[in-house]
Amino acid sequence: MDPRLWWYLARVGGLMSWWLLSATVVWGLLLYTRVLGPRTTTARLFDLHRFLSVLSLVFLAVHVLALVADSWVDVGLPQLLFPFTSDFRPVAVAWGVIAVYLLLAVEVTSLLRRRIPHRWWRYVHTCAFAVFALGTVHALTAGTDTTVVRWTAVALIAAVVFLAVYRLLAGRRTDDPDTSDDDPRHRPGEDGMAASPRPQAGAATTAVAHRPGREVVVTQLRRAADDVVAVHLAAADGGPLPAWEPGAHIDLVLPSGLIRPYSLCGDPGDRRTYRIAVLHARGGRGGSAEVHALRAGQPVAITGPRNRFPLVLAEYYLFIAGGIGITPIMPMVKAAAAAGLPWRLLYGGRSRAAMAFADELLALGDDRVRLVRQDTDGLPDLAAALAETPSATAVYSCGPEALLTAVQQLITTRFPDRHLHTERFGPPATTPHQATTPSPAGEFHVELHRSGRVLKVPADRSMLDVIRQTVPDVPSSCEQGFCGDCELRVLDGIPDHRDTVLPAGQRHRRDVIYPCVSRAHSPILSVDL
Ligand code: FES
Protein backbone atom coordinates (compact mmCIF):
# COMPACT_ATOMS: atom_id res chain seq x y z
CA MET A 1 0.00 0.00 0.00
CA ASP A 2 1.24 3.47 -0.86
CA PRO A 3 2.43 4.92 2.47
CA ARG A 4 0.99 8.27 1.43
CA LEU A 5 -2.54 6.90 0.94
CA TRP A 6 -3.75 8.25 4.28
CA TRP A 7 -2.17 11.60 3.51
CA TYR A 8 -4.00 11.77 0.17
CA LEU A 9 -7.22 10.76 1.91
CA ALA A 10 -6.70 13.46 4.53
CA ARG A 11 -6.25 16.08 1.82
CA VAL A 12 -9.29 14.97 -0.13
CA GLY A 13 -11.37 14.82 3.05
CA GLY A 14 -10.20 18.25 4.15
CA LEU A 15 -10.83 19.90 0.81
CA MET A 16 -14.25 18.31 0.40
CA SER A 17 -15.22 19.30 3.92
CA TRP A 18 -14.14 22.90 3.32
CA TRP A 19 -15.97 23.13 -0.01
CA LEU A 20 -19.13 21.65 1.45
CA LEU A 21 -18.91 23.92 4.48
CA SER A 22 -18.56 26.90 2.15
CA ALA A 23 -21.52 25.69 0.10
CA THR A 24 -23.53 25.40 3.32
CA VAL A 25 -22.73 29.00 4.23
CA VAL A 26 -23.49 30.26 0.73
CA TRP A 27 -26.77 28.35 0.59
CA GLY A 28 -27.73 29.61 4.04
CA LEU A 29 -27.10 33.18 2.92
CA LEU A 30 -29.08 32.62 -0.26
CA LEU A 31 -31.97 31.36 1.83
CA TYR A 32 -31.94 34.41 4.05
CA THR A 33 -31.50 37.00 1.34
CA ARG A 34 -33.79 37.79 -1.54
CA VAL A 35 -31.24 36.90 -4.18
CA LEU A 36 -33.41 33.91 -5.06
CA GLY A 37 -36.55 36.01 -4.91
CA PRO A 38 -39.15 35.92 -2.14
CA ARG A 39 -38.58 32.30 -1.24
CA THR A 40 -40.85 30.39 1.00
CA THR A 41 -39.76 28.23 3.85
CA THR A 42 -40.20 24.94 2.11
CA ALA A 43 -38.60 22.06 3.90
CA ARG A 44 -36.67 21.15 0.76
CA LEU A 45 -34.66 24.37 0.81
CA PHE A 46 -33.65 23.87 4.42
CA ASP A 47 -33.05 20.19 3.88
CA LEU A 48 -30.38 21.03 1.32
CA HIS A 49 -28.73 23.42 3.77
CA ARG A 50 -28.68 20.71 6.42
CA PHE A 51 -27.61 18.02 3.98
CA LEU A 52 -24.60 20.06 2.90
CA SER A 53 -23.57 20.70 6.49
CA VAL A 54 -23.88 17.02 7.45
CA LEU A 55 -21.90 16.00 4.38
CA SER A 56 -19.25 18.51 5.37
CA LEU A 57 -19.03 16.83 8.77
CA VAL A 58 -18.68 13.41 7.15
CA PHE A 59 -15.70 14.54 5.09
CA LEU A 60 -14.31 16.32 8.13
CA ALA A 61 -14.37 12.99 9.95
CA VAL A 62 -12.52 11.41 7.00
CA HIS A 63 -9.97 14.23 7.17
CA VAL A 64 -9.36 13.82 10.90
CA LEU A 65 -9.26 10.01 10.91
CA ALA A 66 -6.93 9.92 7.92
CA LEU A 67 -4.59 12.39 9.62
CA VAL A 68 -4.50 10.23 12.74
CA ALA A 69 -3.80 7.12 10.66
CA ASP A 70 -1.23 8.82 8.47
CA SER A 71 2.44 8.52 9.25
CA TRP A 72 3.61 10.75 6.39
CA VAL A 73 2.94 13.89 8.43
CA ASP A 74 3.23 13.65 12.18
CA VAL A 75 -0.15 14.96 13.37
CA GLY A 76 -1.71 12.77 16.05
CA LEU A 77 -4.92 12.90 18.01
CA PRO A 78 -3.53 15.17 20.79
CA GLN A 79 -2.41 17.70 18.18
CA LEU A 80 -5.86 17.58 16.62
CA LEU A 81 -7.55 18.14 19.96
CA PHE A 82 -5.37 20.94 21.28
CA PRO A 83 -4.54 23.94 19.10
CA PHE A 84 -0.92 25.05 18.62
CA THR A 85 0.54 21.67 19.71
CA SER A 86 1.28 20.28 16.27
CA ASP A 87 4.85 20.10 15.03
CA PHE A 88 3.58 20.39 11.46
CA ARG A 89 2.63 24.02 10.74
CA PRO A 90 1.30 24.56 14.30
CA VAL A 91 -0.50 27.85 13.66
CA ALA A 92 -2.08 26.69 10.41
CA VAL A 93 -3.30 23.46 12.02
CA ALA A 94 -4.60 25.40 15.03
CA TRP A 95 -7.00 27.42 12.83
CA GLY A 96 -8.45 24.16 11.62
CA VAL A 97 -8.81 22.78 15.15
CA ILE A 98 -10.59 25.91 16.37
CA ALA A 99 -12.84 25.84 13.30
CA VAL A 100 -13.83 22.26 14.12
CA TYR A 101 -14.85 23.20 17.66
CA LEU A 102 -16.91 26.11 16.40
CA LEU A 103 -18.47 23.93 13.71
CA LEU A 104 -19.45 21.35 16.32
CA ALA A 105 -21.06 24.11 18.41
CA VAL A 106 -23.05 25.25 15.37
CA GLU A 107 -24.15 21.71 14.59
CA VAL A 108 -25.09 20.82 18.17
CA THR A 109 -27.13 23.98 18.69
CA SER A 110 -28.87 23.35 15.39
CA LEU A 111 -29.80 19.88 16.59
CA LEU A 112 -31.08 21.37 19.85
CA ARG A 113 -32.73 24.29 18.16
CA ARG A 114 -36.24 23.46 19.32
CA ARG A 115 -35.08 23.01 22.91
CA ILE A 116 -32.94 26.09 23.45
CA PRO A 117 -33.85 29.80 23.36
CA HIS A 118 -33.93 30.97 19.80
CA ARG A 119 -31.43 33.75 20.38
CA TRP A 120 -28.83 31.24 21.66
CA TRP A 121 -29.13 29.30 18.46
CA ARG A 122 -28.86 32.49 16.41
CA TYR A 123 -25.76 33.74 18.21
CA VAL A 124 -23.99 30.42 17.85
CA HIS A 125 -25.13 30.03 14.25
CA THR A 126 -23.45 33.32 13.41
CA CYS A 127 -20.19 31.51 14.21
CA ALA A 128 -20.60 29.74 10.87
CA PHE A 129 -18.93 32.80 9.33
CA ALA A 130 -15.97 32.34 11.67
CA VAL A 131 -15.86 28.64 10.80
CA PHE A 132 -15.76 29.55 7.12
CA ALA A 133 -13.03 32.15 7.68
CA LEU A 134 -10.88 29.89 9.85
CA GLY A 135 -11.43 26.91 7.58
CA THR A 136 -10.37 28.98 4.59
CA VAL A 137 -7.22 30.22 6.34
CA HIS A 138 -6.50 26.64 7.40
CA ALA A 139 -6.94 25.36 3.85
CA LEU A 140 -4.70 28.09 2.47
CA THR A 141 -1.91 27.70 5.01
CA ALA A 142 -1.94 24.07 6.14
CA GLY A 143 -2.62 22.33 2.85
CA THR A 144 -0.27 21.60 0.00
CA ASP A 145 -2.79 21.95 -2.84
CA THR A 146 -2.04 25.63 -3.16
CA THR A 147 -3.24 26.54 -6.66
CA VAL A 148 -6.68 24.95 -6.54
CA VAL A 149 -7.20 26.11 -2.96
CA ARG A 150 -6.17 29.67 -3.72
CA TRP A 151 -8.55 30.14 -6.63
CA THR A 152 -11.38 28.34 -4.90
CA ALA A 153 -10.84 30.51 -1.84
CA VAL A 154 -11.04 33.68 -3.93
CA ALA A 155 -14.35 32.57 -5.45
CA LEU A 156 -15.85 31.44 -2.15
CA ILE A 157 -14.76 34.52 -0.22
CA ALA A 158 -16.21 36.73 -2.96
CA ALA A 159 -19.51 34.83 -2.85
CA VAL A 160 -19.79 34.91 0.94
CA VAL A 161 -18.82 38.58 1.24
CA PHE A 162 -21.19 39.58 -1.57
CA LEU A 163 -24.12 37.71 -0.05
CA ALA A 164 -23.38 38.88 3.48
CA VAL A 165 -23.24 42.52 2.35
CA TYR A 166 -26.33 42.00 0.23
CA ARG A 167 -28.18 40.63 3.20
CA LEU A 168 -27.21 43.60 5.34
CA LEU A 169 -28.27 46.07 2.68
CA ALA A 170 -31.46 44.20 1.88
CA GLY A 171 -32.31 44.20 5.56
CA ARG A 172 -31.98 47.97 5.67
CA ARG A 173 -34.09 48.46 2.59
CA THR A 174 -37.07 46.75 4.15
CA ASP A 175 -37.20 49.57 6.65
CA ASP A 176 -36.93 52.28 4.06
CA PRO A 177 -39.88 52.34 1.72
CA ASP A 178 -38.72 55.37 -0.16
CA THR A 179 -35.53 53.77 -1.35
CA SER A 180 -36.75 50.25 -1.97
CA ASP A 181 -37.51 48.97 -5.42
CA ASP A 182 -39.35 45.94 -4.12
CA ASP A 183 -42.92 45.04 -4.73
CA PRO A 184 -44.82 47.48 -2.55
CA ARG A 185 -47.24 44.81 -1.42
CA HIS A 186 -44.48 42.75 0.13
CA ARG A 187 -42.61 45.28 2.15
CA PRO A 188 -43.27 47.96 4.72
CA GLY A 189 -45.22 50.99 3.70
CA GLU A 190 -45.08 54.40 5.29
CA ASP A 191 -46.17 52.97 8.60
CA GLY A 192 -43.46 50.34 8.54
CA MET A 193 -45.75 47.42 7.71
CA ALA A 194 -46.08 45.18 4.74
CA ALA A 195 -49.35 44.20 3.20
CA SER A 196 -50.15 41.41 0.77
CA PRO A 197 -53.85 41.84 0.46
CA ARG A 198 -56.09 39.45 -1.42
CA PRO A 199 -59.67 38.43 -0.95
CA GLN A 200 -60.64 35.21 0.76
CA ALA A 201 -63.50 32.86 1.05
CA GLY A 202 -66.73 34.73 0.89
CA ALA A 203 -65.15 37.91 -0.37
CA ALA A 204 -67.58 40.07 -2.25
CA THR A 205 -66.01 40.09 -5.66
CA THR A 206 -67.79 41.17 -8.78
CA ALA A 207 -65.87 38.93 -11.11
CA VAL A 208 -67.71 37.00 -13.77
CA ALA A 209 -66.40 34.41 -16.15
CA HIS A 210 -64.01 36.33 -18.39
CA ARG A 211 -61.48 33.55 -18.66
CA PRO A 212 -61.41 29.90 -19.43
CA GLY A 213 -59.63 27.92 -16.76
CA ARG A 214 -58.01 24.57 -16.16
CA GLU A 215 -60.64 21.86 -15.91
CA VAL A 216 -60.77 20.17 -12.53
CA VAL A 217 -63.15 17.83 -10.79
CA VAL A 218 -64.50 17.98 -7.26
CA THR A 219 -63.22 14.78 -5.70
CA GLN A 220 -64.37 15.27 -2.14
CA LEU A 221 -66.47 17.63 -0.04
CA ARG A 222 -66.06 17.48 3.69
CA ARG A 223 -67.47 19.53 6.51
CA ALA A 224 -64.51 21.34 8.09
CA ALA A 225 -66.47 23.38 10.66
CA ASP A 226 -69.86 25.00 11.12
CA ASP A 227 -70.76 26.52 7.73
CA VAL A 228 -67.33 25.64 6.34
CA VAL A 229 -66.83 23.03 3.66
CA ALA A 230 -63.45 21.71 2.54
CA VAL A 231 -63.41 21.06 -1.20
CA HIS A 232 -60.85 18.77 -2.79
CA LEU A 233 -60.10 19.26 -6.48
CA ALA A 234 -58.13 17.15 -8.95
CA ALA A 235 -57.20 17.70 -12.58
CA ALA A 236 -59.90 16.43 -14.92
CA ASP A 237 -57.27 14.62 -17.01
CA GLY A 238 -55.82 12.95 -13.92
CA GLY A 239 -52.48 14.69 -14.36
CA PRO A 240 -50.51 16.70 -11.84
CA LEU A 241 -51.69 20.16 -10.86
CA PRO A 242 -49.39 23.20 -10.96
CA ALA A 243 -47.06 23.58 -8.01
CA TRP A 244 -47.90 26.13 -5.34
CA GLU A 245 -46.48 27.48 -2.14
CA PRO A 246 -48.08 28.60 1.13
CA GLY A 247 -50.14 31.76 0.74
CA ALA A 248 -51.18 30.93 -2.84
CA HIS A 249 -54.75 31.07 -4.07
CA ILE A 250 -56.70 29.84 -7.04
CA ASP A 251 -59.62 31.47 -8.78
CA LEU A 252 -62.48 29.01 -8.85
CA VAL A 253 -64.71 29.33 -11.91
CA LEU A 254 -68.09 28.13 -10.70
CA PRO A 255 -70.71 26.48 -12.94
CA SER A 256 -72.68 29.75 -13.03
CA GLY A 257 -69.64 31.59 -14.38
CA LEU A 258 -68.90 33.38 -11.12
CA ILE A 259 -65.22 33.48 -10.27
CA ARG A 260 -64.14 33.44 -6.66
CA PRO A 261 -60.62 33.45 -5.23
CA TYR A 262 -59.87 30.88 -2.52
CA SER A 263 -56.66 30.20 -0.66
CA LEU A 264 -55.13 26.78 -1.04
CA CYS A 265 -55.02 25.10 2.35
CA GLY A 266 -53.86 21.58 1.54
CA ASP A 267 -50.43 20.09 1.14
CA PRO A 268 -48.14 21.87 -1.38
CA GLY A 269 -46.32 18.57 -1.85
CA ASP A 270 -49.49 16.90 -3.13
CA ARG A 271 -49.61 17.70 -6.85
CA ARG A 272 -52.72 15.55 -7.35
CA THR A 273 -55.10 17.46 -5.12
CA TYR A 274 -55.90 21.02 -4.21
CA ARG A 275 -57.86 21.74 -1.07
CA ILE A 276 -59.81 24.91 -0.39
CA ALA A 277 -62.16 25.68 2.47
CA VAL A 278 -65.14 27.95 2.01
CA LEU A 279 -67.31 29.64 4.59
CA HIS A 280 -70.96 29.94 3.60
CA ALA A 281 -71.42 33.71 3.69
CA ARG A 282 -75.09 34.27 4.50
CA GLY A 283 -76.31 37.27 2.56
CA GLY A 284 -73.28 37.12 0.26
CA ARG A 285 -73.44 37.37 -3.50
CA GLY A 286 -73.86 33.69 -4.10
CA GLY A 287 -70.33 32.42 -4.66
CA SER A 288 -69.96 30.60 -1.36
CA ALA A 289 -73.50 29.22 -1.55
CA GLU A 290 -72.68 27.81 -4.96
CA VAL A 291 -69.52 26.20 -3.62
CA HIS A 292 -71.52 24.59 -0.82
CA ALA A 293 -73.91 23.22 -3.41
CA LEU A 294 -71.15 21.48 -5.38
CA ARG A 295 -71.16 17.70 -5.48
CA ALA A 296 -68.37 15.15 -5.72
CA GLY A 297 -67.59 14.38 -9.35
CA GLN A 298 -68.80 17.77 -10.55
CA PRO A 299 -66.50 19.53 -13.07
CA VAL A 300 -65.43 23.11 -12.42
CA ALA A 301 -62.50 25.19 -13.60
CA ILE A 302 -59.70 27.06 -11.92
CA THR A 303 -57.06 29.59 -12.83
CA GLY A 304 -53.82 30.03 -10.98
CA PRO A 305 -52.41 29.33 -8.50
CA ARG A 306 -51.02 32.79 -7.83
CA ASN A 307 -49.37 33.99 -4.68
CA ARG A 308 -49.82 37.52 -3.36
CA PHE A 309 -49.22 36.48 0.23
CA PRO A 310 -45.89 34.66 0.14
CA LEU A 311 -44.23 33.33 3.23
CA VAL A 312 -40.89 35.10 3.45
CA LEU A 313 -38.03 33.68 5.42
CA ALA A 314 -37.82 34.88 8.99
CA GLU A 315 -36.29 33.72 12.21
CA TYR A 316 -39.58 33.75 14.09
CA TYR A 317 -43.20 33.68 12.98
CA LEU A 318 -46.39 34.75 14.66
CA PHE A 319 -49.49 33.68 12.75
CA ILE A 320 -52.75 35.39 13.63
CA ALA A 321 -55.91 34.05 12.04
CA GLY A 322 -59.53 34.95 12.51
CA GLY A 323 -62.29 32.60 11.35
CA ILE A 324 -61.93 31.41 7.77
CA GLY A 325 -58.74 33.50 7.58
CA ILE A 326 -57.04 30.33 8.77
CA THR A 327 -57.00 28.97 5.21
CA PRO A 328 -53.88 30.73 3.86
CA ILE A 329 -52.26 30.59 7.29
CA MET A 330 -52.48 26.83 7.71
CA PRO A 331 -49.97 25.83 4.99
CA MET A 332 -47.66 28.53 6.34
CA VAL A 333 -47.79 27.06 9.82
CA LYS A 334 -47.05 23.62 8.43
CA ALA A 335 -44.16 24.97 6.35
CA ALA A 336 -42.63 26.74 9.36
CA ALA A 337 -43.07 23.62 11.49
CA ALA A 338 -41.55 21.38 8.81
CA ALA A 339 -38.58 23.74 8.47
CA GLY A 340 -37.99 23.64 12.22
CA LEU A 341 -38.47 27.39 12.53
CA PRO A 342 -39.95 28.87 15.70
CA TRP A 343 -43.59 29.86 15.33
CA ARG A 344 -46.76 30.55 17.27
CA LEU A 345 -50.35 30.60 16.09
CA LEU A 346 -53.13 32.67 17.58
CA TYR A 347 -56.39 31.48 16.08
CA GLY A 348 -59.70 33.08 16.99
CA GLY A 349 -63.19 31.97 16.06
CA ARG A 350 -66.80 32.39 17.09
CA SER A 351 -66.80 29.01 18.79
CA ARG A 352 -64.76 25.83 18.72
CA ALA A 353 -67.22 24.28 16.30
CA ALA A 354 -66.74 27.19 13.91
CA MET A 355 -62.95 26.87 13.80
CA ALA A 356 -61.86 24.89 10.77
CA PHE A 357 -58.81 22.64 10.98
CA ALA A 358 -58.34 23.30 14.71
CA ASP A 359 -57.41 19.67 15.45
CA GLU A 360 -55.05 19.50 12.48
CA LEU A 361 -53.27 22.59 13.78
CA LEU A 362 -53.14 21.43 17.38
CA ALA A 363 -51.44 18.26 16.16
CA LEU A 364 -48.53 20.43 14.96
CA GLY A 365 -47.80 21.49 18.53
CA ASP A 366 -50.48 22.27 21.06
CA ASP A 367 -47.98 24.36 23.03
CA ARG A 368 -47.62 26.67 20.03
CA VAL A 369 -51.26 26.93 19.00
CA ARG A 370 -53.59 29.13 20.99
CA LEU A 371 -57.25 28.73 20.12
CA VAL A 372 -59.45 31.58 21.30
CA ARG A 373 -63.18 30.92 21.23
CA GLN A 374 -65.13 34.11 21.30
CA ASP A 375 -68.15 32.50 23.02
CA THR A 376 -66.10 31.49 26.06
CA ASP A 377 -62.77 33.33 25.90
CA GLY A 378 -63.69 36.65 24.34
CA LEU A 379 -61.39 38.27 21.82
CA PRO A 380 -57.76 37.19 21.30
CA ASP A 381 -55.17 39.08 23.34
CA LEU A 382 -53.17 40.37 20.40
CA ALA A 383 -50.89 42.58 22.48
CA ALA A 384 -49.85 39.68 24.71
CA ALA A 385 -49.15 37.46 21.71
CA LEU A 386 -47.03 40.16 20.07
CA ALA A 387 -45.21 40.90 23.31
CA GLU A 388 -44.04 37.28 23.48
CA THR A 389 -42.29 37.49 20.11
CA PRO A 390 -38.72 38.66 19.49
CA SER A 391 -37.95 41.68 17.37
CA ALA A 392 -38.02 41.21 13.59
CA THR A 393 -40.72 38.57 13.95
CA ALA A 394 -42.72 38.05 10.77
CA VAL A 395 -46.37 38.46 11.69
CA TYR A 396 -48.79 36.89 9.21
CA SER A 397 -52.41 37.75 9.70
CA CYS A 398 -55.59 36.96 7.85
CA GLY A 399 -59.15 37.41 9.00
CA PRO A 400 -61.87 39.99 9.43
CA GLU A 401 -61.02 43.63 8.86
CA ALA A 402 -61.41 44.47 12.57
CA LEU A 403 -58.76 41.90 13.46
CA LEU A 404 -56.33 43.14 10.82
CA THR A 405 -56.86 46.75 11.82
CA ALA A 406 -56.21 45.90 15.48
CA VAL A 407 -53.01 44.00 14.62
CA GLN A 408 -51.87 46.81 12.37
CA GLN A 409 -52.47 49.47 15.01
CA LEU A 410 -50.64 47.48 17.67
CA ILE A 411 -47.64 46.98 15.46
CA THR A 412 -47.58 50.63 14.45
CA THR A 413 -47.83 51.95 17.97
CA ARG A 414 -46.17 49.34 20.19
CA PHE A 415 -44.25 46.80 18.13
CA PRO A 416 -42.77 48.70 15.18
CA ASP A 417 -39.92 46.22 14.76
CA ARG A 418 -42.28 43.35 13.87
CA HIS A 419 -42.97 42.89 10.16
CA LEU A 420 -46.62 42.54 9.31
CA HIS A 421 -47.99 40.67 6.31
CA THR A 422 -51.73 40.68 5.88
CA GLU A 423 -54.33 39.23 3.61
CA ARG A 424 -57.70 40.87 3.58
CA PHE A 425 -61.23 39.77 2.87
CA GLY A 426 -62.05 43.22 1.59
CA PRO A 427 -60.69 46.75 1.19
CA PRO A 428 -58.92 48.10 4.26
CA ALA A 429 -60.54 50.67 6.46
CA THR A 430 -59.87 54.20 5.30
CA THR A 431 -56.18 54.82 4.92
CA PRO A 432 -54.51 58.21 4.97
CA HIS A 433 -54.08 58.29 1.21
CA GLN A 434 -57.78 57.59 0.73
CA ALA A 435 -58.98 60.21 3.14
CA THR A 436 -59.76 62.60 0.33
CA THR A 437 -62.60 61.99 -2.08
CA PRO A 438 -61.26 60.89 -5.48
CA SER A 439 -61.87 63.23 -8.36
CA PRO A 440 -64.83 62.29 -10.57
CA ALA A 441 -64.07 59.61 -13.12
CA GLY A 442 -63.60 61.00 -16.61
CA GLU A 443 -63.13 59.49 -20.01
CA PHE A 444 -59.62 58.63 -21.18
CA HIS A 445 -57.88 56.27 -23.59
CA VAL A 446 -55.66 53.29 -22.92
CA GLU A 447 -53.08 52.13 -25.43
CA LEU A 448 -52.20 48.43 -25.48
CA HIS A 449 -48.56 48.95 -26.36
CA ARG A 450 -47.78 45.54 -27.86
CA SER A 451 -50.63 45.59 -30.35
CA GLY A 452 -50.80 49.36 -30.70
CA ARG A 453 -54.55 49.32 -30.13
CA VAL A 454 -56.09 52.35 -28.44
CA LEU A 455 -59.29 51.82 -26.47
CA LYS A 456 -61.66 54.40 -25.07
CA VAL A 457 -62.43 54.05 -21.36
CA PRO A 458 -65.78 55.75 -20.72
CA ALA A 459 -66.41 57.41 -17.39
CA ASP A 460 -68.79 54.66 -16.31
CA ARG A 461 -66.53 51.67 -17.05
CA SER A 462 -63.34 50.39 -15.50
CA MET A 463 -60.13 50.21 -17.47
CA LEU A 464 -59.93 46.49 -16.69
CA ASP A 465 -63.37 45.95 -18.13
CA VAL A 466 -62.46 47.75 -21.34
CA ILE A 467 -59.08 46.02 -21.70
CA ARG A 468 -60.70 42.62 -21.31
CA GLN A 469 -62.71 43.14 -24.43
CA THR A 470 -59.43 42.84 -26.30
CA VAL A 471 -57.28 40.85 -23.88
CA PRO A 472 -59.69 38.55 -22.02
CA ASP A 473 -57.14 36.85 -19.79
CA VAL A 474 -55.89 39.84 -17.81
CA PRO A 475 -55.79 38.40 -14.27
CA SER A 476 -57.76 39.86 -11.41
CA SER A 477 -59.26 38.79 -8.12
CA CYS A 478 -60.89 41.40 -5.93
CA GLU A 479 -61.66 43.96 -8.64
CA GLN A 480 -61.92 46.44 -5.80
CA GLY A 481 -58.35 47.66 -5.85
CA PHE A 482 -56.94 45.92 -2.80
CA CYS A 483 -55.46 42.60 -3.91
CA GLY A 484 -52.97 43.67 -6.58
CA ASP A 485 -53.72 40.76 -8.91
CA CYS A 486 -54.54 42.95 -11.91
CA GLU A 487 -51.28 44.92 -11.83
CA LEU A 488 -50.13 46.29 -15.19
CA ARG A 489 -46.93 48.03 -16.17
CA VAL A 490 -47.41 51.61 -17.34
CA LEU A 491 -45.16 52.72 -20.19
CA ASP A 492 -46.45 56.24 -20.70
CA GLY A 493 -49.03 58.58 -19.24
CA ILE A 494 -50.01 59.56 -15.70
CA PRO A 495 -51.96 57.02 -13.64
CA ASP A 496 -54.70 58.14 -11.29
CA HIS A 497 -54.18 55.62 -8.48
CA ARG A 498 -57.44 54.72 -6.76
CA ASP A 499 -56.32 51.39 -5.35
CA THR A 500 -55.29 50.59 -1.80
CA VAL A 501 -52.37 48.44 -2.87
CA LEU A 502 -49.80 51.20 -3.19
CA PRO A 503 -48.74 52.69 0.14
CA ALA A 504 -48.97 56.44 0.60
CA GLY A 505 -45.30 56.97 -0.19
CA GLN A 506 -45.68 55.43 -3.64
CA ARG A 507 -48.85 56.92 -4.99
CA HIS A 508 -46.86 59.14 -7.31
CA ARG A 509 -45.56 56.11 -9.22
CA ARG A 510 -46.01 56.20 -12.97
CA ASP A 511 -44.78 52.71 -13.77
CA VAL A 512 -47.64 50.63 -12.43
CA ILE A 513 -51.43 50.65 -12.31
CA TYR A 514 -54.26 48.50 -10.95
CA PRO A 515 -56.83 48.87 -13.73
CA CYS A 516 -59.78 47.39 -11.86
CA VAL A 517 -60.25 50.72 -10.07
CA SER A 518 -57.52 53.13 -11.15
CA ARG A 519 -57.82 55.55 -14.04
CA ALA A 520 -55.66 58.14 -15.79
CA HIS A 521 -54.86 61.79 -15.21
CA SER A 522 -53.46 62.05 -18.73
CA PRO A 523 -55.67 61.78 -21.84
CA ILE A 524 -53.97 58.52 -22.81
CA LEU A 525 -52.23 55.83 -20.81
CA SER A 526 -49.95 53.27 -22.43
CA VAL A 527 -49.74 49.88 -20.73
CA ASP A 528 -47.53 46.86 -21.37
CA LEU A 529 -50.08 44.58 -22.99
S1 FES B 1 -58.18 42.89 -9.10
FE1 FES B 1 -57.55 43.27 -7.09
S2 FES B 1 -56.47 45.14 -7.28
FE2 FES B 1 -57.33 44.86 -9.21
Side-chain angles (χ1 to χ4, degrees):
M1 188 172 80
D2 188 333
R4 291 172 297 181
L5 177 66
W6 290 112
W7 173 238
Y8 292 142
L9 204 55
R11 285 161 61 188
V12 170
L15 283 175
M16 287 299 296
S17 178
W18 173 54
W19 285 331
L20 286 162
L21 169 74
S22 306
T24 309
V25 173
V26 168
W27 186 246
L29 281 166
L30 283 170
L31 282 176
Y32 279 95
T33 62
R34 288 172 293 174
V35 170
L36 297 177
R39 310 301 301 175
T40 58
T41 52
T42 59
R44 285 194 304 277
L45 300 178
F46 280 92
D47 283 348
L48 181 57
H49 182 61
R50 289 177 186 140
F51 176 73
L52 289 170
S53 75
V54 170
L55 212 54
S56 165
L57 278 180
V58 170
F59 279 99
L60 179 63
V62 171
H63 179 58
V64 170
L65 292 175
L67 279 175
V68 172
D70 173 55
S71 57
W72 183 261
V73 172
D74 187 22
V75 180
L77 193 56
Q79 289 79 32
L80 294 174
L81 289 175
F82 302 102
F84 304 106
T85 55
S86 166
D87 290 329
F88 174 77
R89 302 183 183 178
V91 176
V93 172
W95 298 136
V97 175
I98 296 169
V100 170
Y101 284 127
L102 287 175
L103 179 59
L104 290 176
V106 170
E107 296 287 349
V108 169
T109 49
S110 290
L111 284 175
L112 298 175
R113 184 173 177 176
R114 295 180 194 215
R115 301 204 175 125
I116 60 177
H118 181 65
R119 66 179 184 285
W120 293 9
W121 169 83
R122 197 175 56 192
Y123 292 148
V124 176
H125 216 72
T126 309
C127 293
F129 291 106
V131 176
F132 168 73
L134 290 171
T136 302
V137 172
H138 173 71
L140 284 167
T141 55
T144 52
D145 309 272
T146 48
T147 305
V148 64
V149 168
R150 195 176 303 139
W151 286 110
T152 313
V154 169
L156 291 173
I157 290 169
V160 170
V161 169
F162 169 79
L163 289 170
V165 170
Y166 183 89
R167 186 188 172 187
L168 285 174
L169 295 178
R172 263 187 225 124
R173 270 208 309 273
T174 59
D175 295 321
D176 183 0
D178 289 326
T179 58
S180 172
D181 56 1
D182 281 355
D183 185 333
R185 295 176 305 279
H186 301 160
R187 63 174 188 69
E190 62 167 355
D191 49 8
M193 287 171 286
S196 295
R198 196 193 57 69
Q200 235 297 310
T205 71
T206 56
V208 292
H210 296 288
R211 301 158 268 165
R214 177 186 301 272
E215 286 187 17
V216 294
V217 176
V218 177
T219 57
Q220 190 184 347
L221 290 142
R222 193 174 57 78
R223 181 184 175 280
D226 286 354
D227 287 334
V228 178
V229 64
V231 182
H232 295 242
L233 304 165
D237 61 5
L241 292 162
W244 63 281
E245 295 191 322
H249 71 278
I250 55 169
D251 287 336
L252 183 64
V253 185
L254 291 162
S256 68
L258 284 173
I259 299 175
R260 292 291 185 267
Y262 295 111
S263 295
L264 291 169
C265 59
D267 174 9
D270 178 3
R271 297 285 301 278
R272 296 281 162 190
T273 310
Y274 284 163
R275 181 174 72 170
I276 58 173
V278 179
L279 170 70
H280 188 179
R282 313 272 173 201
R285 299 191 189 185
S288 64
E290 197 172 339
V291 172
H292 277 245
L294 290 172
R295 292 290 169 260
Q298 191 167 351
V300 285
I302 59 169
T303 59
R306 291 197 295 276
N307 199 343
R308 293 286 184 185
F309 191 39
L311 184 64
V312 297
L313 282 169
E315 293 181 352
Y316 197 100
Y317 293 95
L318 173 63
F319 301 106
I320 302 175
I324 197 63
I326 193 63
T327 48
I329 296 292
M330 197 166 76
M332 295 183 174
V333 174
K334 288 185 173 178
L341 294 168
W343 60 273
R344 293 288 182 278
L345 168 66
L346 183 62
Y347 178 17
R350 279 183 288 114
S351 64
R352 182 68 164 75
M355 299 171 75
F357 310 123
D359 292 333
E360 205 172 321
L361 289 160
L362 284 170
L364 295 173
D366 53 7
D367 56 330
R368 295 165 182 244
V369 176
R370 194 175 307 158
L371 301 183
V372 182
R373 313 164 202 176
Q374 199 173 338
D375 55 352
T376 57
D377 306 332
L379 295 174
D381 190 343
L382 301 172
L386 284 163
E388 289 170 4
T389 62
S391 64
T393 291
V395 180
Y396 278 81
S397 187
C398 182
E401 186 56 33
L403 173 76
L404 300 187
T405 302
V407 175
Q408 188 166 331
Q409 283 175 351
L410 272 170
I411 288 186
T412 304
T413 55
R414 293 178 53 187
F415 304 96
D417 54 355
R418 280 34 165 206
H419 301 297
L420 178 62
H421 308 257
T422 57
E423 181 165 73
R424 300 191 125 85
F425 291 177
T430 303
T431 53
H433 55 271
Q434 287 184 304
T436 54
T437 308
S439 52
E443 179 183 299
F444 64 100
H445 288 80
V446 58
E447 180 199 40
L448 309 183
H449 182 75
R450 291 182 217 170
S451 64
R453 293 196 62 174
V454 177
L455 311 171
K456 184 166 85 174
V457 183
D460 60 349
R461 292 184 66 192
S462 75
M463 192 187 340
L464 179 67
D465 199 17
V466 170
I467 289 174
R468 274 194 172 145
Q469 286 185 331
T470 306
V471 187
D473 57 353
V474 178
S476 72
S477 281
C478 72
E479 302 198 359
Q480 296 179 64
F482 65 87
C483 77
D485 267 7
C486 63
E487 179 180 296
L488 291 178
R489 201 154 69 91
V490 175
L491 302 174
D492 199 10
I494 306 172
D496 175 7
H497 295 298
R498 298 176 177 217
D499 59 274
T500 50
V501 177
L502 289 172
Q506 298 200 21
R507 304 196 67 74
H508 59 278
R509 283 180 61 177
R510 294 189 176 188
D511 60 335
V512 70
I513 194 163
Y514 301 93
C516 63
V517 291
S518 294
R519 305 185 69 82
H521 284 307
S522 52
I524 186 164
L525 198 72
S526 178
V527 297
D528 187 17
L529 267 180

